[in-house]
Amino acid sequence: LRAAFEGREIVIHMAALITVQSRDEPAMRSINTGGVANVARAALDCGVRRVVHVSSVHAYESWRLGRPLREDDAPAVDPS
């Protein structure tokens, strides 16, 4: 990551593992949580000024309601 971020002002992070089978899958947690931490750490180390992180609809409670996401929707707090 550091080699890719060196000299950059902005990094856009869109990588994730999405599955409907099991939201507690260890690989999913490692990639979606650990991966973001790795990107953030490498960006800080390389002096990147801005990181844009794109997540899935599962980061918000509204995905359970079967309606489009709105700006004022609350973040998901229940991991199941």
Side-chain angles (χ1 to χ4, degrees):
L1 291 174
R2 286 180 180 86
F5 294 174
E6 201 63 50
R8 307 286 181 190
E9 287 191 34
I10 300 171
V11 168
I12 300 173
H13 180 261
M14 298 173 61
L17 174 64
I18 298 172
T19 176
V20 295
Q21 298 298 323
S22 170
R23 295 198 58 206
D24 293 323
E25 184 178 317
M28 191 170 142
R29 180 171 302 279
S30 173
I31 292 167
N32 295 347
T33 303
V36 173
N38 290 339
V39 166
R41 191 171 299 111
L44 281 171
D45 291 348
C46 292
V48 173
R49 293 183 54 203
R50 181 162 302 192
V51 174
V52 177
H53 172 73
V54 180
S55 188
S56 74
V57 69
H58 289 98
Y60 293 89
E61 290 295 336
S62 61
W63 76 270
R64 298 175 198 273
L65 305 176
R67 64 165 173 74
L69 182 65
R70 296 188 311 234
E71 284 186 38
D72 61 344
D73 282 338
V77 293
D78 179 7
S80 59

